[in-house]
Structures are given as structure tokens and as C-alpha cells.
Amino acid sequence: MPQRGRFAPSPTGDLHLGNIRTALIGYLWARESDGEFLIRMEDLDQMTSSRALGERQLADLAAIGVESDIPVIWQSDRFDIYKSIINELTERGLTYECFCSRREIREAAAAPHGPLPDGAYPGTCADLTPAERSERARERPAAIRLRTNRSVVAIHDTLHGEFSAQVDDVVLLRNDGTPAYNLAVVVDDALQGVTQICRGDDLLSSTPRQVYLQRLLGYPTPEYLHVPLVLGNDGERLSKRNGALSLRDLDEQGRPAESVRELLLASIGGSFSADALLRVGTWTI
Ligand code: GLU
């Protein structure tokens, strides 16, 4: 099967050097494998993302030489697709309605009843009776969660090796009607035929739950490469606070996109090869 890589940013602001480096590594990985590469805009959250910001990200990526071989899709155009998959899971008895507020989840997760990973949903609404459900529906609309078996799922990452985590009952549809990231990312990677996923290693811990969902839906599991973040010279993850650099900031500092590309290539070992990929490390600027 031909390889196909992807970069899937959320258009919530300008890409910083760390995101751009991840995109470039993913692009080069696909090309190294004689594969195709696509960009997908993950603008599910209409409160924080916009088309205008997405267009700026696409222009920045193009300036660094990272372009999509096929037309870019925007997740905000695809809610019907995600909802039909959620309905399919519901028909299979694999979802339930959840009425918990964030605070209730925090408090319940802190209670000592079971080895759930940090932030995992403790299953409070998993077995509500119909009467309890209609009672709780008076407080707020329901989110829809996946009913998992809470198994431990092991995944393989090209850089990190084996990683496993217990899956939890993730949200599939938020209570404002927005499909959730974990569902949309799994559906789109499968529908777009993605075989290689390169992204920041802050998402490594979400991968077992995504692989669990892939298996439920009968989708193949792509190869993963979770790339370490770029740190500022204060040793912290790049953020606006420590001067997270966008291409515009760098250009103003006298570093045009072409020289940024050279700098990024140097950070992964000068030229790109499968071997260089395995040397992709945390990079401090
Ligand atoms: N859209 C997600 C983000 O920007 C990344 C999703 C992914 O690569 O799986 O954080």
C-alpha cells in the first residue's frame, strides 16, 4: 500500500517553530517513504479556530516547503460524517450519555476507586437508569461517551517504542453538539488513507485510546512518530510566554523562511533519512 503522511493542525493561532518542525519532519518522512502527504485543518472548535487562521498556517507551511498533495479538508465541513459514525457506535450499544460537569469529573476522578490514568473519566454516567438520565438532562445537555472495556492498549511508536495506557470512556460528541477531537482524528485518518502519523509527543498519551477506537471501527492502525517538542532556552516548552516564534516573528528578526527551513533541517541531522528520523530529539533554540 502506498504510504501517506499528514499534518493536522488546529487553526487557533500562528504555527510556532515547534509545530513547523513537526510538519517538516512528517513531510520528509512521507517523501522518504515515496509516499504522499496531506494537510488537514482540525477546526472542530469554532470558538477557538477560524478559516483565516487556517489560511495563514497553510501559507506558513508552504513557505517552508510543506504542501498538501490533495485539497485540504476542514473538519468543520464534516460534522455529518462524524455524527453518522457516532450513531453507528450508538446502534452497536457502544456509547452512553454523560451529564457530568468538568468539576464533577475532577472530583470523582480524585476519589480512590480504581487505577484510572490522570484525567480519565471514572464512568459516573455509564450505568444511569432512564429515570436518572431524564433527571440529569434537566441540568444540562448530554455529551456522548464511548463505552470502553478499559483495557490496556499497547501501541508502537517509531521513536518511543512500545507505549501502553488504559483506555477510558472518551467523549465522542461534546454537549454543545461538537464532535470531539479523538473521534474526528481517527475517522479522518482512516477515510483519508493515512498510513503515517507524525505529531507532537504531547499526543502520545492519547494514542492508545485512538487505536482502541480504530479497532472498534475496523480501521487499520497507521505508523506513529511522536516528535519531541521544541524547548525555549529557558528549558520550557515553546509558548507565547517564552517568545514562541512564528515565521513572521523570525522574519522580523532577519530570518526568512528559507533560512528557518535550513535551521530545522540541521536540527534533524543535516539531511533527511530514516536514520535521521530516529535521531530527532528535543531541540532547544
Ligand atoms: N489538531 C491537533 C493539534 O493541533 C493535532 C492532531 C493530530 O496530529 O493528531 O493539536
Side-chain angles (χ1 to χ4, degrees):
M1 189 168 63
Q3 299 291 339
R4 184 175 271 192
R6 55 77 153 170
F7 183 60
S10 300
T12 55
D14 281 339
L15 295 170
H16 63 59
L17 205 48
N19 312 130
I20 292 170
R21 177 173 180 260
T22 302
L24 186 60
I25 293 169
Y27 180 81
L28 295 170
W29 186 24
R31 294 296 186 239
E32 163 85 2
S33 327
D34 292 325
E36 291 180 340
F37 186 79
L38 63 90
I39 299 174
R40 178 174 71 235
M41 281 293 160
E42 300 208 324
D43 60 340
L44 290 172
D45 189 338
Q46 300 289 285
M47 302 291 278
T48 57
S49 52
S50 74
R51 293 263 164 167
L53 285 168
E55 295 296 348
R56 279 167 69 112
Q57 291 188 343
L58 291 171
D60 281 353
L61 290 167
I64 219 87
V66 173
E67 288 184 89
S68 188
D69 295 331
I70 59 171
V72 173
I73 62 169
W74 298 72
Q75 289 188 326
S76 58
D77 291 337
R78 299 165 62 81
F79 281 19
D80 287 353
I81 298 175
Y82 312 131
K83 287 182 180 174
S84 75
I85 306 269
I86 295 170
N87 288 343
E88 192 185 307
L89 289 166
T90 298
E91 277 160 23
R92 290 167 58 190
L94 290 172
T95 68
Y96 61 88
E97 291 182 311
C98 169
F99 301 92
C100 292
S101 65
R102 271 168 215 247
R103 184 156 148 244
E104 285 167 338
I105 295 173
R106 250 195 333 269
E107 287 171 2
H113 58 20
L116 282 175
D118 285 348
Y121 182 65
T124 320
C125 292
D127 299 305
L128 296 181
T129 62
E132 285 167 333
R133 270 206 300 279
S134 40
E135 175 68 29
R136 297 224 52 191
R138 279 201 274 273
E139 292 163 38
R140 63 180 67 83
I144 296 183
R145 288 186 181 271
L146 183 66
R147 188 182 291 282
T148 67
N149 62 8
R150 303 203 176 167
S151 54
V152 173
V153 172
I155 61 111
H156 179 80
D157 180 89
T158 307
L159 200 58
H160 297 261
E162 188 174 300
F163 174 82
S164 41
Q166 187 183 4
V167 297
D168 68 331
D169 295 355
V170 280
V171 170
L172 302 174
L173 188 73
R174 291 171 15 176
N175 76 355
D176 63 1
T178 308
Y181 157 70
N182 282 300
L183 184 268
V185 77
V186 165
V187 169
D188 282 342
D189 282 329
L191 296 187
Q192 294 195 285
V194 168
T195 63
Q196 299 177 325
I197 294 184
C198 173
R199 58 187 180 187
D201 66 6
D202 52 333
L203 287 168
L204 180 63
S205 63
S206 286
T207 308
R209 56 167 73 102
Q210 292 175 11
V211 168
Y212 181 86
L213 196 47
Q214 282 160 11
R215 291 177 186 163
L216 280 183
L217 292 167
Y219 298 156
T221 293
E223 281 182 88
Y224 287 98
L225 175 66
H226 286 90
V227 178
L229 302 165
V230 176
L231 304 181
N233 46 24
D234 55 1
E236 296 285 321
R237 197 181 148 169
L238 273 195
S239 70
K240 278 284 166 219
R241 203 162 30 82
N242 60 15
L245 301 168
S246 67
L247 281 189
R248 276 171 197 77
D249 298 332
L250 287 159
D251 194 56
E252 277 163 24
Q253 293 172 18
R255 275 189 197 276
E258 187 45 42
S259 81
V260 174
R261 181 184 158 88
E262 293 309 315
L263 188 72
L264 292 175
L265 286 174
S267 87
I268 56 173
S271 67
F272 190 80
S273 64
D275 185 43
L277 254 185
L278 297 173
R279 285 187 273 114
V280 169
T282 304
W283 184 47
T284 308
I285 55 162

